Amino acid sequence: MKIKIFALILVATILSACSYKFSGASTTGLKTVVVRVFENNAPLVVPTLSNQITESLKTRIRNQTKLIISPTGEGDASFEGRITGYDIKPVALQNSATPTSGANRLTITVSVKYKNNIKEHEKESFEESFTKYFDFPISGAPIQTLLPGAIENINKQLSEDIFNRAFAQW
């Protein structure tokens, strides 16, 4: 009985020491990818947003795949996109007599075109829009000090959704 318990503990220890990372990403047949700068066509333009979204997607690709990001030309796959929406609106109204907002919502929408140039994977290409938002409470701090954190949060979510749609077919 003691041997069985010892063996069970030994197996559990060995298994817990093993680490396995599953990203769910499939880049079969791909070696290079081109990520073109996302144009900012939103009615309200933040000068740095275009570069931030582009770099966020590149970072996700670098961290979760072995793909080489090609700076120019044609890759085995390519991303291009446009920022089509950037909006800040009040949410969480707190008083019906004199409506006041308890929070602001930043919403960013991007239109993305992903093209897989590998013949047997062309059907994985897509063109669609992705929208994410971030709510931040009205805290007395100027909104301009809260926006960088909100934009960073949204960029992470957008790059995750775009990455998953392209490489995990979610």
Side-chain angles (χ1 to χ4, degrees):
M1 184 66 173
K2 289 182 181 182
I3 294 174
K4 287 182 182 179
I5 292 173
F6 176 72
L8 186 59
I9 292 172
L10 182 63
V11 168
T13 304
I14 291 170
L15 288 176
S16 67
C18 297
S19 65
Y20 177 71
K21 183 179 177 186
F22 177 70
S23 68
S26 172
T27 57
T28 306
L30 300 176
K31 291 183 177 118
T32 61
V33 64
V34 175
V35 181
R36 292 183 177 84
V37 176
F38 281 52
E39 293 179 36
N40 198 336
N41 296 336
L44 181 59
V45 174
V46 175
T48 59
L49 187 59
S50 176
N51 192 46
Q52 287 175 304
I53 288 177
T54 305
E55 289 304 315
S56 181
L57 180 58
K58 285 181 179 180
T59 299
R60 174 133 345 234
I61 292 168
R62 276 189 207 103
N63 290 343
Q64 294 191 350
T65 71
K66 293 181 180 182
L67 293 175
I68 296 168
I69 298 177
S70 175
T72 59
E74 277 294 314
D76 295 329
S78 64
F79 289 93
E80 59 184 79
R82 296 180 334 276
I83 302 163
T84 57
Y86 179 94
D87 192 32
I88 301 172
K89 289 185 179 176
V91 292
L93 296 179
Q94 296 184 336
N95 184 346
S96 59
T98 51
T100 55
S101 174
N104 284 312
R105 174 172 290 171
L106 172 63
T107 304
I108 299 175
T109 302
V110 295
S111 176
V112 178
K113 183 178 182 181
Y114 169 74
K115 186 174 180 191
N116 188 323
N117 295 316
I118 304 298
K119 190 162 183 76
E120 55 271 2
H121 295 285
E122 286 176 336
K123 65 184 181 296
E124 295 169 6
S125 299
F126 65 86
E127 189 168 348
E128 67 184 70
S129 289
F130 298 84
T131 300
K132 289 297 176 184
Y133 66 88
F134 183 82
D135 292 343
F136 44 97
I138 296 178
S139 61
I143 196 167
Q144 304 312 39
T145 62
L146 302 173
L147 283 175
I151 289 171
E152 183 179 340
N153 184 290
I154 291 172
N155 282 342
K156 285 180 185 176
Q157 293 178 51
L158 285 170
S159 65
E160 181 177 343
D161 285 356
I162 295 165
F163 178 90
N164 286 340
R165 176 66 177 89
F167 300 122
Q169 287 75 46
W170 290 359

